[in-house]
Amino acid sequence: MSDRVYKVYAIENGTVIDHIPTPMALKVVEILGIGSGGVFTLGVGFQSKRLPGGKDILKIENRVLSRNETDIISLIAPNATINIIREGRVQEKRRISLPESITGVMLCPNPNCATNMLGAPRKFRLENRSLVTYRCQYCERVTGVISENLVSPER
Amino acid sequence: MSSFSGRSIISLRDMSVSELWRIVEASGEVKSGKHPGLLSGLGVASLFFEPSTRTRLSFESAVLKGGGTVFGFADPGSSSQKKGESFADSVRTVTGYCDAMIIRHPVEGAARMASELSSVPVINAGDGSNQHPTQTFLDLFTIFESVGRLEGLCVGLMGDLKYGRTVHSLAHAMALFGARMVFISPSSLAMPPHVLTELAESGISFRVVSSPEEAQDSEMDVLYVTRIQKERFGDPQEYESVAHSYRVTRETVAVLGDSIKIMHPLPRVDEIAEEVDSLPNAIYFRQAHNGIPTRQALLGLVTGGIS
């Protein structure tokens, strides 16, 4: 049954994020800060040729994510595909790449950093694209990206 | 207007080679008496959220000798932090009382955060194990003053290269000037891989050896010695043996050659024998004293007293 391939309802307007490695879709919801409002549909654990461990799909209704927001997804799902949907049609297929800077959604692993001790805003700059490392703008330590350190921007 | 006017000085990572040159040059100008009273009429806040007598005295002396007024606190026990005021609120308040702010804080990134909240320039006087840029500026000025150049030198760094923020910053700065480097330390206190990677990526050649004598053929211009702290070692016997091997004596200086300059950020314990003090090679007290013109020059540059 071709209409049951994805088992997630189609949306008229909004953003579809496909090829999120299972089970990271909820993490994507968290770092996009969309958990507290709006409608989204989540599909978890579909078979995928590209992702042997399975893939998740997230459909966000009536919201077109900005380039900054979709680039943030690459921290968790570097191979995710983004489709912007308008009036039931794919209006834009967007490629994502590691963001040059990350604000708010990553915790610094250094416990003695001003972001953890003094309430400084969390800001990182890309240090090395191939190693996927970022430098904290406060304590200046370089860190890799681990999902445990990715949080909601509201936290 | 210089590129420094109104600017905070937080990290060596923010500085270009030409800006480092300007600081070195301005330090020389101040030392030679070119800018008398460059801080006159200015009020400088000195906020030491952790005690550091040497750095605080050097900054305060620099302000006073430049004709400015300095006020603040020497430890957080005597500040409103004790009453529960947040660091951010302390900075927001004091920024309205002064023309520049000197901050020492045990938390890494505190000075950067302060600079974002302050309307006057903030100078980082040490933030945890992260940065202490004015130490590096005075080191560069001392090297330039003693050797006559900064480009293409061979600099040996000896002692605790693992935890020493001073040596990491100096290595970073000297790399900008294309130095060759020699790292001399016990293996347990060796230069961290991330510093070596950064140097290698910027095309800097370096050697790792286990004693200064082994580096004899490197023809070092400067040997920068740092303290090996006893508390880094679990076993006191291991400390004793390491401390003994990393000691600069007259004999060491003779092996390394007449022209080598011996530096140390002080305080020293045993790592440089007192017999070395009277040699012309020993420049560590001049280095400490150079903290005054260097910090004066920096304050003058950021407050507009030097253009």
Side-chain angles (χ1 to χ4, degrees):
Chain A
M1 287 177 21
S2 61
D3 62 336
R4 286 183 58 79
V5 170
Y6 289 116
K7 299 173 188 148
V8 180
Y9 290 109
I11 59 172
E12 273 296 300
N13 290 294
T15 308
V16 175
I17 306 160
D18 197 353
H19 296 103
I20 304 168
T22 298
M24 301 308 288
L26 273 173
K27 194 51 132 176
V28 174
V29 169
E30 187 182 351
I31 63 169
L32 290 176
I34 58 175
S36 53
V39 177
F40 61 87
T41 316
L42 210 61
V44 176
F46 297 109
Q47 282 188 348
S48 166
K49 281 181 191 162
R50 222 189 287 174
L51 297 167
K55 69 168 185 176
D56 297 350
I57 298 171
L58 172 62
K59 298 190 175 189
I60 306 162
E61 287 195 37
N62 299 320
R63 188 167 156 201
V64 174
L65 295 181
S66 69
R67 170 75 57 186
N68 283 348
E69 286 174 309
T70 51
D71 277 351
I72 286 287
I73 295 167
S74 69
L75 298 172
I76 295 170
N79 298 314
T81 50
I82 314 287
N83 286 335
I84 307 297
I85 312 292
R86 276 200 214 278
E87 295 173 351
R89 291 182 175 191
V90 177
Q91 191 201 37
E92 180 191 348
K93 282 182 179 290
R94 191 180 290 172
R95 297 179 77 95
I96 56 173
S97 61
L98 289 173
E100 287 296 325
S101 62
I102 307 174
T103 304
V105 297
M106 190 152 90
L107 299 175
C108 181
N110 172 12
N112 198 40
C113 175
T115 59
N116 294 316
M117 295 291 288
L118 301 172
R122 300 186 286 263
K123 285 192 259 182
F124 293 83
R125 271 206 203 112
L126 184 61
E127 177 76 9
N128 186 312
R129 193 169 281 278
S130 53
L131 297 175
V132 193
T133 53
Y134 282 84
R135 188 180 293 277
C136 173
Q137 294 306 286
Y138 290 89
C139 73
E140 305 188 9
R141 299 241 180 125
V142 173
T143 178
V145 177
I146 53 169
S147 63
E148 287 77 14
N149 286 340
L150 294 171
V151 294
S152 162
E154 286 143 25
R155 184 172 137 188
Chain B
M1 290 258 283
S2 77
S3 65
F4 286 101
S5 186
R7 175 172 159 187
S8 291
I9 305 295
I10 305 301
S11 167
L12 218 57
R13 293 187 181 281
D14 305 331
M15 315 293 297
S16 66
V17 174
S18 61
E19 287 167 341
L20 292 174
W21 264 124
R22 180 65 193 120
I23 293 170
V24 167
E25 188 183 50
S27 305
E29 291 167 10
V30 169
K31 193 168 178 179
S32 67
K34 192 179 168 190
H35 301 285
L38 81 169
L39 302 175
S40 73
L42 298 181
V44 177
S46 160
L47 312 183
F48 276 63
F49 293 91
E50 75 172 352
S52 171
T53 311
R54 191 177 296 268
T55 302
R56 183 173 57 83
L57 292 181
S58 176
F59 265 111
E60 294 184 359
S61 168
V63 177
L64 295 172
K65 285 186 171 210
T69 309
V70 64
F71 56 89
F73 50 84
D75 72 84
S78 56
S79 79
S80 49
Q81 299 260 304
K82 209 180 170 187
K83 297 177 189 161
E85 184 178 53
S86 72
F87 173 71
D89 279 359
S90 297
V91 173
R92 287 187 188 107
T93 307
V94 176
T95 189
Y97 300 165
C98 60
D99 300 292
M101 207 185 289
I102 296 155
I103 291 189
R104 171 94 167 200
H105 201 289
V107 170
E108 286 118 38
R112 174 86 62 197
M113 182 183 174
S115 71
E116 291 169 351
L117 297 167
S118 171
S119 56
V120 300
V122 171
I123 292 182
N124 185 5
D127 61 330
S129 63
N130 184 30
Q131 290 272 330
H132 187 9
T134 60
Q135 176 69 49
T136 309
F137 301 155
L138 76 88
D139 290 343
L140 291 177
F141 173 52
T142 306
I143 293 172
F144 179 70
E145 191 186 43
S146 311
V147 185
R149 63 192 163 96
L150 284 173
E151 300 98 336
L153 297 173
C154 182
V155 178
L157 300 173
M158 179 172 117
D160 179 354
L161 306 185
K162 185 175 182 182
Y163 299 100
R165 133 187 99 178
T166 309
V167 286
H168 299 167
S169 293
L170 187 60
H172 177 91
M174 292 313 303
L176 294 174
F177 290 99
R180 284 181 295 130
M181 279 179 248
V182 182
F183 301 131
I184 310 152
S185 73
S187 57
S188 58
L189 295 176
M191 197 59 110
H194 70 89
V195 178
L196 298 182
T197 308
E198 256 187 54
L199 293 174
E201 280 172 0
S202 53
I204 295 301
S205 70
F206 58 84
R207 273 179 85 183
V208 177
V209 297
S210 53
S211 75
E213 289 80 5
E214 272 180 58
Q216 188 186 351
D217 59 349
S218 288
E219 296 177 348
M220 290 184 284
D221 299 287
V222 172
L223 178 63
Y224 196 101
V225 186
T226 62
R227 189 158 54 104
I228 291 178
Q229 295 183 43
K230 211 172 190 169
E231 54 270 29
R232 302 286 186 210
F233 294 84
D235 177 0
Q237 253 187 331
E238 193 194 343
Y239 166 75
E240 291 303 333
S241 77
V242 163
H244 184 73
S245 334
Y246 293 87
R247 186 172 157 82
V248 175
T249 60
R250 277 181 173 249
E251 207 176 317
T252 321
V253 176
V255 168
L256 295 177
D258 280 347
S259 62
I260 191 151
K261 305 295 179 200
I262 310 292
M263 296 176 70
H264 193 299
L266 303 179
R268 76 168 150 181
V269 185
D270 296 319
E271 53 280 357
I272 301 177
E274 284 189 19
E275 64 183 18
V276 176
D277 296 359
S278 56
L279 295 177
N281 312 73
I283 57 170
Y284 28 91
F285 290 112
R286 190 204 298 181
Q287 178 188 356
H289 299 161
N290 276 343
I292 307 294
T294 306
R295 290 176 171 126
Q296 267 184 289
L298 194 64
L299 282 162
L301 285 166
V302 300
T303 57
I306 302 177
S307 57

